[in-house]
Amino acid sequence: MGSALARAFTAAGHPTTAWNRTPGRAPDLTTVTRTETVAEAIEASPLVVVCLLHYDVAYEALRGAEDRLAGTTLVNLCNGTPAQARAMATWAAGHGARYLDGGIMAVPPMIGGPDAMTLYSGDPEVFAAHRDTFGALGTPLHLGADPGVAALHDIALLSGMYGMFAGFLHAVGLVRPDGIKATELMTLLEPMLRAMLPSLTHAAEQIDSGDYDSNVTSPLAMQLAAFGNFFDTARDQGIRPDLLTGIHTLMSEAVASGHGNHDIGALIEVINV
Ligand SMILES: NC(=O)c1ccc[n+]([C@@H]2O[C@H](COP(=O)([O-])OP(=O)(O)OC[C@H]3O[C@@H](n4cnc5c(N)ncnc54)[C@H](OP(=O)(O)O)[C@@H]3O)[C@@H](O)[C@H]2O)c1
C-alpha cells in the first residue's frame, strides 16, 4: 500500500520522499526519493504520511525520530482502532505535530482511481490544508474532529465487506463439492447480491426509525425456519458452518425476544453485549 500511495502522490506532481524498513521494495517506483532513515524522510516534507502494518509498527518506526515531528502534519493511514487513533493523536501533539488519522477504503491497485475513498478525522483545518494533496489518492472525506471517527468508520466498512466475503466463501464452499466452479457461481451470485443491496437501505431505515412493523418483507421467523436447511446442506456438502453461525445465533435470539415478524434489521436490537 505504501508504494501505491507514493506512486499516486508523485503521479499527481507532489515531490515524495519515502522510507521503508526493507530497502529496494517496489524497484519500479523511480519517481520517489528514498531515505535510509525515518528521520531523513520526515525532514524532507511538512506532510508525513505513515502507512505500515499497524500502529505498533508505526510507533516502532518513528522511535528515535520523534524530535523531527515538531511542526509537521502527521497522517497515519495504518488500520487501527478508534482508541489507537485517539492515543496517537495525543502522542503526536506531545511531539508538536498536527495529526490526522485515516483509513484507506481501497486495495492498492485502486489508489489514485475514481473508486478509492480515503477517510480522515482530526482537526478540520489541518484536513482542509492538505485536502488537495490527499485527493491524489482518491476521494478524501473528513468525518469529524474526533481523531477516532475515521478508524471507527474504517472498521465498520471493512466489517461490512467481510460479511460479504463470508457469504461468498460459504456459497462457493457449498457448490464446489458438486464440481461447480467459483467463477460459475459468480454469474448468479453477483447479480443476486446486487439486486439485494437495496434491502440494506430498507433495513437501515427500519433501524433508524425503530419501526420494524412497517413494510415487512421477510419475517425473521420464516428466515430462521430456513436456517436448518443451511446447516444441513453445509453438513451434507462437507463444509464448516462457521461463517453462518454468528448470524444464526442473533436470529435465534431476536426471534426468541419477539422479533419473529420483523425483518433482518431487527437483529441490531440483540447485537449489543
Ligand atoms: N493492502 C490493502 O488491501 C490495504 C487496504 C486498506 C488498508 N490497508 C492498510 O494499509 C496498511 C499497510 O498495508 P500493506 O498492504 O502495505 O501491508 P504489507 O504489504 O504487509 O506491508 C506492510 C508494511 O509494513 C512494514 N512493516 C511491517 N512490520 C514492520 C516493522 N516491524 N518495522 C517496520 N516496518 C514494518 C513493511 O515493511 P517491509 O517492506 O520491510 O516488510 C511494509 O512496508 C495496513 O495497516 C493495512 O491494514 C491495506
Side-chain angles (χ1 to χ4, degrees), residues 64-136:
E66 299 95 329
D67 59 337
R68 316 296 168 98
L69 288 172
T72 68
T73 295
L74 179 65
V75 182
N76 179 26
L77 298 180
C78 301
N79 180 270
T81 69
Q84 286 175 325
R86 292 177 191 122
M88 189 167 263
T90 302
W91 178 89
H95 292 290
R98 292 172 290 277
Y99 183 80
L100 292 172
D101 201 89
I104 303 169
M105 311 317 300
V107 294
M110 291 165 64
I111 296 299
D115 295 328
M117 180 167 67
T118 47
L119 311 178
Y120 300 87
S121 55
D123 187 335
E125 288 184 13
V126 176
F127 173 76
H130 297 286
R131 191 189 181 291
D132 287 349
T133 308
F134 298 149

Side-chain angles (χ1 to χ4, degrees), residues 18-45:
W19 171 87
N20 191 63
R21 175 184 60 175
T22 308
R25 288 263 199 249
D28 59 317
L29 189 52
T30 54
T31 49
V32 168
T33 304
R34 303 187 188 228
T35 66
E36 285 187 10
T37 67
V38 172
E40 290 171 278
I42 295 173
E43 283 169 2
S45 172

Side-chain angles (χ1 to χ4, degrees), residues 29 83-84 105 127 136 168 177 205 218 232 243 248 250-251 263:
L29 189 52
Q84 286 175 325
M105 311 317 300
F127 173 76
F168 160 77
E205 287 166 356
S218 305
D232 288 348
L243 295 174
H248 177 255
L250 291 185
M251 207 178 271
D263 281 324

Side-chain angles (χ1 to χ4, degrees), residues 1-5 19-26 38 50-58 60-62 76-80 102-109 111 117 154 158 161-162:
M1 183 59 88
S3 61
L5 301 181
W19 171 87
N20 191 63
R21 175 184 60 175
T22 308
R25 288 263 199 249
V38 172
V50 178
C51 187
L52 296 166
L53 193 57
H54 51 60
Y55 279 63
D56 287 347
V57 165
E60 190 184 323
L62 291 166
N76 179 26
L77 298 180
C78 301
N79 180 270
I104 303 169
M105 311 317 300
V107 294
I111 296 299
M117 180 167 67
D154 186 353
L158 290 177
M161 180 189 77
Y162 278 111

Side-chain angles (χ1 to χ4, degrees), residues 39-273:
E40 290 171 278
I42 295 173
E43 283 169 2
S45 172
L47 178 63
V48 179
V49 177
V50 178
C51 187
L52 296 166
L53 193 57
H54 51 60
Y55 279 63
D56 287 347
V57 165
Y59 283 119
E60 190 184 323
L62 291 166
R63 191 178 304 135
E66 299 95 329
D67 59 337
R68 316 296 168 98
L69 288 172
T72 68
T73 295
L74 179 65
V75 182
N76 179 26
L77 298 180
C78 301
N79 180 270
T81 69
Q84 286 175 325
R86 292 177 191 122
M88 189 167 263
T90 302
W91 178 89
H95 292 290
R98 292 172 290 277
Y99 183 80
L100 292 172
D101 201 89
I104 303 169
M105 311 317 300
V107 294
M110 291 165 64
I111 296 299
D115 295 328
M117 180 167 67
T118 47
L119 311 178
Y120 300 87
S121 55
D123 187 335
E125 288 184 13
V126 176
F127 173 76
H130 297 286
R131 191 189 181 291
D132 287 349
T133 308
F134 298 149
L137 308 180
T139 304
L141 300 172
H142 184 257
L143 301 183
D146 169 3
V149 77
L152 177 62
H153 283 78
D154 186 353
I155 296 291
L157 296 186
L158 290 177
S159 299
M161 180 189 77
Y162 278 111
M164 177 184 75
F165 286 145
F168 160 77
L169 290 168
H170 189 88
V172 169
L174 284 174
V175 300
R176 264 164 44 107
D178 282 21
I180 299 165
K181 289 186 177 300
T183 46
E184 283 178 64
L185 184 70
M186 279 306 292
T187 64
L188 298 177
L189 184 59
E190 184 174 341
M192 192 268 195
L193 290 180
R194 284 186 191 280
M196 288 301 293
L197 266 179
S199 68
L200 293 185
T201 304
H202 177 63
E205 287 166 356
Q206 290 187 330
I207 289 169
D208 285 350
S209 69
D211 176 8
Y212 298 109
D213 293 315
S214 308
N215 304 317
V216 174
T217 59
S218 305
L220 283 172
M222 173 278 291
Q223 296 195 50
L224 186 61
F227 246 73
N229 300 328
F230 289 23
F231 287 120
D232 288 348
T233 306
R235 183 201 59 224
D236 293 346
Q237 296 298 93
I239 72 160
R240 300 164 59 155
D242 306 34
L243 295 174
L244 292 181
T245 51
I247 197 159
H248 177 255
T249 300
L250 291 185
M251 207 178 271
S252 302
E253 290 179 18
V255 169
S257 61
H259 292 288
N261 287 325
H262 297 156
D263 281 324
I264 201 153
L267 297 194
I268 207 74
E269 301 298 331
V270 295
I271 208 166
N272 287 3
V273 289

